[in-house]
């Protein structure tokens, strides 16, 4: 029901910066939580950052102080600004949307297909 498309991945030097974007097929002000996760082949996805539609944000411990998540409701996008990148940040980054439909108490999850970020010298 909600399609998510990520962009902005690529190769960056350690200490560099990169910004990822995710566009949603639905007005994101209706989506309770937008989030970024990341994963490497054969491993579980790790929470990177969340943005709740009441303005609250949360970050994984490994990225606090370096990454920033932000919504642009006009463009139906969520971004992830990544600074001071480390080789351990190398992963596929996935956009995630969580919402509760009106009249329901069930939480729905939707995922993008991911964008590769490689941090290497």
């Amino acid at each position: 029901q909600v399609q998510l498309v990520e962009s902005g991945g690529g190769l960056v030097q350690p200490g560099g910066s990169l910004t990822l974007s995710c566009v949603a097929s639905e007005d994101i002000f209706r989506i309770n939580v937008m989030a970024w996760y990341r994963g490497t082949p054969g491993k579980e996805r790790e929470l990177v950052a969340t943005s709740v539609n009441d303005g609250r944000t949360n970050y994984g411990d490994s990225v606090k102080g370096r990454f920033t998540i932000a919504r642009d409701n006009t463009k139906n996008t969520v971004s992830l600004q990544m600074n001071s990148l480390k080789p351990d940040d190398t992963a596929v980054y996935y956009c995630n949307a969580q919402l509760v439909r009106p009249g329901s108490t069930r939480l729905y999850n939707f995922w993008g297909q991911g964008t590769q970020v490689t941090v290497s010298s």
Side-chain angles (χ1 to χ4, degrees):
Q1 294 89 323
V2 179
Q3 185 175 359
L4 305 171
V5 181
E6 304 97 333
S7 63
L11 175 65
V12 63
Q13 298 274 3
S17 298
L18 200 64
T19 300
L20 307 181
S21 295
C22 171
V23 60
S25 63
E26 183 170 325
D27 292 344
I28 64 169
F29 73 87
R30 301 190 183 105
I31 301 175
N32 301 77
V33 178
M34 297 292 298
W36 288 95
Y37 287 74
R38 68 187 183 187
T40 55
K43 295 182 173 62
E44 295 288 332
R45 293 181 184 181
E46 172 192 17
L47 174 66
V48 176
T50 63
S51 173
V52 187
N53 64 1
D54 63 5
R56 291 178 293 151
T57 59
N58 293 98
Y59 297 91
D61 289 341
S62 64
V63 306
K64 286 181 179 178
R66 299 189 297 121
F67 291 11
T68 302
I69 188 170
R71 297 187 185 212
D72 186 334
N73 292 333
T74 300
K75 298 179 179 179
N76 291 331
T77 60
V78 61
S79 66
L80 184 69
Q81 173 66 241
M82 304 184 293
N83 299 319
S84 302
L85 284 162
K86 307 173 181 179
D88 285 349
D89 295 320
T90 296
V92 177
Y93 284 70
Y94 299 90
C95 186
N96 167 253
Q98 305 166 38
L99 75 159
V100 178
R101 298 292 188 185
S104 175
T105 59
R106 179 179 175 182
L107 181 68
Y108 293 82
N109 271 284
F110 304 92
W111 295 91
Q113 63 181 346
T115 185
Q116 176 72 47
V117 173
T118 302
V119 184
S120 176
S121 60

